Amino acid sequence: MEEEIQWIQSILAGNKQAYAHIINKYKNQLYATILRMTRNPHDAQDLVQEAFVKVYHQLDKYEGKGSFSSWIYRVTINYCMDEFRKKRYKMKQVDIGEETLLNPNHPEVIFLKKEEQRQLEKLIQTLPEDERLILLLRYVNELSYHEISELVEIPLSQVRNKLHRAKKKMRDSVKQEGGYFHDEMLGSR
């Protein structure tokens, strides 16, 4: 965090090149979050670039309260949510590349992992936007409940409740279809 503060001070002092450090540190995490929100690689890439411009112009507003990572997530997600509302953003179904598998040479493992991933992505897309966002921040970005609370600016109890409701909805949906949902499916993300 101290390193980030030095980068921010350098940027605010006029060294625009220092911003590359922030971009390099956060681009993959922000892209992964936005990709799961949009399910469209092209849109996610555009939104990440635009969000970094927004972050750059708001760097002077970072007061050092809380972690910089929480602040940059908040600015990025707020920007994306504003864009979704403005454009009445439509979620597009695009396959996301499969994650690296533990034993890629074993066909059964590959098949089962792909099916589990498809099922999980489908379930996540059925959730309301606020619950989906909290679920992704918790399990994809591995943020703590407290960081999520700061990021989306809701009380800690609401973060826990929304996460619990999201998992319950996913579990109930799978049960209706005769399947089985286990929380470890989220843990592997």
Side-chain angles (χ1 to χ4, degrees):
M1 176 134 161
E2 192 173 305
E3 184 178 50
E4 292 164 340
I5 298 295
Q6 290 174 351
W7 292 338
I8 293 168
Q9 290 171 346
S10 180
I11 295 163
L12 294 176
N15 180 0
K16 295 179 181 179
Q17 300 300 323
Y19 196 57
H21 296 293
I22 291 174
I23 291 172
N24 288 333
K25 183 168 183 174
Y26 291 100
K27 67 182 176 187
N28 292 336
Q29 297 161 327
L30 294 177
Y31 176 77
T33 299
I34 295 172
L35 178 60
R36 286 197 163 70
M37 291 169 68
T38 63
R39 297 201 33 92
N40 183 299
H42 183 265
D43 289 348
Q45 202 169 34
D46 289 347
L47 286 168
V48 168
Q49 289 175 359
E50 293 165 13
F52 272 119
V53 171
K54 182 85 166 174
V55 166
Y56 180 82
H57 290 294
Q58 292 190 7
L59 270 180
D60 61 332
K61 294 180 182 175
Y62 175 64
E63 299 172 354
K65 297 176 184 173
S67 69
F68 180 73
S69 64
S70 291
W71 182 83
I72 197 169
Y73 274 109
R74 185 179 319 118
V75 171
T76 300
I77 288 172
N78 286 345
Y79 171 75
C80 291
M81 299 303 270
D82 288 345
E83 289 300 303
F84 293 167
R85 282 188 281 275
K86 279 183 203 170
K87 297 177 182 175
R88 294 194 163 191
Y89 190 83
K90 299 282 186 206
M91 298 287 183
K92 297 176 185 173
Q93 297 291 357
V94 175
D95 285 336
I96 297 173
E98 298 298 327
E99 295 178 6
T100 305
L101 301 169
L102 294 176
N103 183 358
N105 298 324
H106 197 290
E108 292 173 10
V109 172
I110 293 171
F111 176 76
L112 291 174
K113 277 292 196 189
K114 284 181 181 179
E115 286 305 307
E116 183 179 277
Q117 189 70 21
R118 280 190 201 112
Q119 177 189 16
L120 190 55
E121 291 289 340
K122 184 178 172 185
L123 287 170
I124 290 170
Q125 290 305 312
T126 65
L127 296 172
E129 193 173 276
D130 59 337
E131 291 175 5
R132 181 173 59 240
L133 176 61
I134 289 172
L135 189 93
L136 293 172
L137 290 173
R138 177 70 181 134
Y139 292 104
V140 174
N141 297 98
E142 299 176 355
L143 298 181
S144 69
Y145 292 118
H146 182 72
E147 290 172 319
I148 296 169
S149 173
E150 283 182 11
L151 183 62
V152 296
E153 298 175 330
I154 62 173
L156 191 58
S157 60
Q158 282 187 22
V159 170
R160 286 189 174 114
N161 288 340
K162 287 179 184 289
L163 191 58
H164 175 75
R165 272 195 302 261
K167 291 194 305 189
K168 183 177 180 345
K169 286 177 185 175
M170 292 169 70
R171 216 176 278 113
D172 292 346
S173 178
V174 170
K175 283 180 186 175
Q176 283 180 344
E177 295 175 13
Y180 178 72
F181 174 81
H182 48 94
D183 291 349
E184 289 78 31
M185 289 171 70
L186 293 169
S188 66
R189 296 179 60 73

